[in-house]
Amino acid sequence: MFGGVDNMKERYNVGLIRVVTFTDDKLLNLHGEIIEKYFPMLKVESRCIDDQPYGIHDEETERIAIPKIIELAKSWENIDALIISCAGDPAVKELRKMLDIPVIGAGESTALLARRYGEVYGVLGITEEIPEAYIKILGRDNIVGTCHVPGIKSTIDLMNDEGRKKVIDKALELKSLGAEVIPLACTGMATIGIAKELEDLCGIPVIDPVVAEGLIAYYECIRYRKE
Amino acid sequence: MFGGVDNMKERYNVGLIRVVTFTDDKLLNLHGEIIEKYFPMLKVESRCIDDQPYGIHDEETERIAIPKIIELAKSWENIDALIISCAGDPAVKELRKMLDIPVIGAGESTALLARRYGEVYGVLGITEEIPEAYIKILGRDNIVGTCHVPGIKSTIDLMNDEGRKKVIDKALELKSLGAEVIPLACTGMATIGIAKELEDLCGIPVIDPVVAEGLIAYYECIRYRKE
């Protein structure tokens, strides 16, 4: 009668979709490796969409990515959950209707966890528009400043010292505007592993979107039962 | 330069406070055992407050419990995080100011995760008043029905078939009132392991407070760095 854990697997297979085209396996697998280190019960396989070496960074690049993400996801077999490792949560809603496994977006996961750490949010990403899940979950009125980092056009621009410096400046600006917590809004920020550095420099919590999507994916794996 | 996992421990020691006085070690350790099974990276030690065999079930029992919880917590050494395994989150705010480790409440954790699963909430517990974190995080206007289960006065009343039946009836009532998700608001519901049964009967997600506090505790452990 008392509470126990039924039907739990020792390990869950998770698919992870990168919305940037990588030819380098190390980069392709980086988010999956972060998740596997933090959540050893997850085994992550990563795949990326074709023909988008600069990823998703505006409405047009998101629009053309969505059918590619759906295509990749539909053909994937033997996974317990699917992560779309992008803060814009592209194709997440569509895939939830199509698949019978949990689908997890980086954006919705990051925004949800951010609510634990404060009530004024500095959403820091690479797009002009704040990704939808952040507005819905955090509330537009609770978000200070703009999302976009001047001089950063795509996730690739983050991958050098100058890009890193620009992100730091932006984080400090959001802090000065009153942000109590910084939910990162581009998984490229996880690629460059900048969350803890920002946290130290700003003195407020910074939510890493890849750790967030990993946490929520793990939760979905352990709580989910097929009908 | 690229993102990695620094300073991560293989295992985290978590203290867990039960707000019910148990003489039976099996009952005392039950929440900790659920958490250890779902989160094998956590090692949980459980302690309980004295002289409250019926736990916390109203304002008065909460008031007298708070100093006992603080006393237990203050003397606890060598833990990486502390869970207060009660949906009322008693002493959580006070302890955050006093301790230099993360403090996690069942209520705030359950309410946070509930937001992932819907926008109308049926908060199901044993108190007349809905616990504070649920109102703050979910919004009073988004909560349907009442929290309390008729005929259930304390967590002890849950531990028999009749108690179980009353909880099921209440869950179905909340569903009929429009609840899209049921965040449980008493960790005694986890003790009797009823979340999955309610989920099957109601056809909507039911958030187990002990799994929720375990998940958030794990997140706090991996994201936290001492200054």
Side-chain angles (χ1 to χ4, degrees), chain A residues 7-209:
Chain A
N7 305 321
M8 193 183 155
K9 286 195 191 181
E10 278 200 9
R11 211 150 192 225
Y12 296 90
N13 292 313
V14 174
L16 183 147
I17 293 182
R18 299 297 309 266
V19 302
V20 188
T21 310
F22 289 118
T23 48
D24 178 347
D25 271 0
K26 219 170 164 174
L27 278 173
L28 172 67
N29 292 323
L30 187 75
H31 293 180
E33 280 170 13
I34 293 171
I35 291 172
E36 286 183 346
K37 280 186 194 158
Y38 279 115
F39 309 96
M41 308 74 71
L42 301 181
K43 171 98 188 70
V44 184
E45 187 193 338
S46 300
R47 297 181 185 176
C48 68
I49 59 171
D50 287 334
D51 301 325
Q52 293 199 221
Y54 297 99
I56 294 179
H57 47 87
D58 58 17
E59 274 185 28
E60 174 61 10
T61 47
E62 181 169 28
R63 193 186 60 74
I64 59 173
I66 287 177
K68 298 180 199 176
I69 295 168
I70 293 174
E71 202 50 42
L72 265 184
K74 269 169 52 182
S75 60
W76 212 324
E77 288 178 358
N78 300 319
I79 48 175
D80 298 298
L82 178 70
I83 294 173
I84 311 301
S85 196
C86 173
D89 301 331
V92 165
K93 275 181 209 157
E94 292 89 335
L95 287 171
R96 275 202 188 122
K97 289 180 199 148
M98 299 167 68
L99 305 181
D100 64 352
I101 54 171
V103 178
I104 297 99
E108 55 177 27
S109 305
T110 307
L112 185 72
L113 290 172
R115 285 188 59 109
R116 178 167 172 84
Y117 297 96
E119 290 172 7
V120 182
Y121 308 97
V123 178
L124 173 46
I126 61 166
T127 51
E128 296 268 345
E129 304 286 330
I130 295 170
E132 192 184 321
Y134 295 76
I135 293 177
K136 181 164 180 255
I137 295 170
L138 304 174
R140 185 66 194 88
D141 293 347
N142 304 317
I143 298 173
V144 293
T146 57
C147 181
H148 184 246
V149 182
I152 301 285
K153 287 208 184 85
S154 85
T155 189
I156 305 301
D157 297 331
L158 296 170
M159 296 181 183
N160 56 52
D161 287 344
E162 206 187 329
R164 219 176 163 84
K165 169 81 171 58
K166 286 173 182 163
V167 173
I168 291 169
D169 289 346
K170 179 73 187 196
L172 290 166
E173 182 198 320
L174 293 172
K175 163 77 188 285
S176 76
L177 290 171
E180 296 172 357
V181 44
I182 296 181
L184 296 177
C186 169
T187 57
M189 306 282 182
T191 305
I192 65 167
I194 204 165
K196 283 192 186 301
E197 187 177 344
L198 296 180
E199 204 163 282
D200 286 344
L201 289 167
C202 297
I204 54 175
V206 175
I207 312 300
D208 181 293

Side-chain angles (χ1 to χ4, degrees), chain A residues 1-3 8 37-38 41 108 116-117 119 136 191-192 196 199-200 218 220 223 225, chain B residues 1-3 8 37-38 41 108 112 116-117 119 136 191-192 196 199-200 218 220 223 225:
Chain A
M1 186 188 100
F2 290 114
M8 193 183 155
K37 280 186 194 158
Y38 279 115
M41 308 74 71
E108 55 177 27
R116 178 167 172 84
Y117 297 96
E119 290 172 7
K136 181 164 180 255
T191 305
I192 65 167
K196 283 192 186 301
E199 204 163 282
D200 286 344
Y218 186 59
E220 292 276 332
R223 74 172 302 287
R225 338 169 56 172
Chain B
M1 187 188 99
F2 291 115
M8 193 182 154
K37 279 187 195 158
Y38 279 116
M41 308 75 70
E108 54 176 28
L112 185 73
R116 179 168 170 83
Y117 297 97
E119 291 172 7
K136 182 164 180 253
T191 305
I192 63 166
K196 284 193 186 301
E199 205 164 281
D200 285 345
Y218 186 60
E220 292 276 331
R223 77 170 301 288
R225 334 167 60 170

